[in-house]
Amino acid sequence: MGFSGNYLNKFDDAGRLSLPAKMREELRASFGNDALMAYTFGGIVKVYPKSVYDANMKNMHEAAKKDVTAYKIFRKISSSAFAIDINSSGRMNIPTQIRQSADLKDECYVIGAYDVIELWNKEKWEKESASLDLDLEENADVLAGFMDMIVSE
């Protein structure tokens, strides 16, 4: 099915963030509880099901072997990843360095992006979301192309 939706969630006193129930159910049903978290460019934290992360990293590693600069970027991405445990209540610890790098404060947006879950700084997501409304108007042809891909029953 994939991850979807956006939710504003608060960190608890221990620095844990609760995944929305729908995302937690999808993660467990499709991938089990194995997940990795990585800080990515642009200040976004991504939570990958382990199988998705492994497939992405394998592809990137093969491409990175062919270019020194690409390998440095690959190493940066790889070194920012952490295995995470999602407890029975759906809470996950977010390493301090990831929270600081992504400027995640008391609350953040949890965004479903099909095969990955993104964590966004609250103000940054609200700005991004507002700009997307304008982008959709300016890029109606791209949106129309996506709409053509929708399969109706």
Side-chain angles (χ1 to χ4, degrees):
M1 174 100 182
F3 304 110
S4 62
N6 71 80
Y7 308 85
L8 182 60
N9 284 12
K10 293 184 181 222
F11 288 93
D12 68 14
D13 293 336
R16 297 175 299 195
L17 184 71
S18 186
L19 278 179
K22 292 279 185 194
M23 289 182 182
R24 186 169 61 240
E25 291 165 12
E26 179 65 27
L27 180 65
R28 286 185 179 144
S30 299
F31 304 102
N33 246 3
D34 292 332
L36 285 102
M37 176 179 293
Y39 172 75
T40 61
F41 302 103
I44 302 165
V45 175
K46 294 192 177 186
V47 178
Y48 297 91
K50 186 174 181 328
S51 59
V52 171
Y53 178 83
D54 288 345
N56 289 340
M57 292 306 287
K58 181 179 179 184
N59 292 338
M60 281 191 267
H61 187 251
E62 288 304 313
K65 287 184 201 178
K66 301 171 187 163
D67 180 82
V68 172
T69 302
Y71 190 80
K72 288 178 181 180
I73 293 169
F74 168 79
R75 184 183 321 126
K76 176 70 175 166
I77 293 169
S78 179
S79 69
S80 77
F82 296 86
I84 57 169
D85 291 319
I86 301 170
N87 71 18
S88 60
S89 300
R91 291 184 304 242
M92 57 186 171
N93 270 330
I94 301 189
T96 302
Q97 75 184 75
I98 287 183
R99 280 188 71 182
Q100 290 173 344
S101 295
D103 197 25
L104 301 178
K105 299 173 184 167
D106 296 331
E107 55 188 355
C108 72
Y109 276 95
V110 181
I111 308 297
Y114 189 66
D115 63 345
V116 66
I117 297 167
E118 298 179 348
L119 307 180
W120 284 70
N121 165 285
K122 180 182 183 289
E123 293 79 19
K124 187 173 184 171
W125 172 255
E126 289 171 351
K127 184 178 177 183
E128 175 78 5
S129 184
S131 73
L132 288 174
D133 291 340
L134 296 174
D135 289 345
L136 289 177
E137 291 175 18
E138 294 172 7
N139 294 292
D141 54 330
V142 174
L143 181 59
F146 282 151
M147 299 309 287
D148 289 343
M149 293 178 202
I150 294 175
V151 177
S152 59
E153 295 183 61

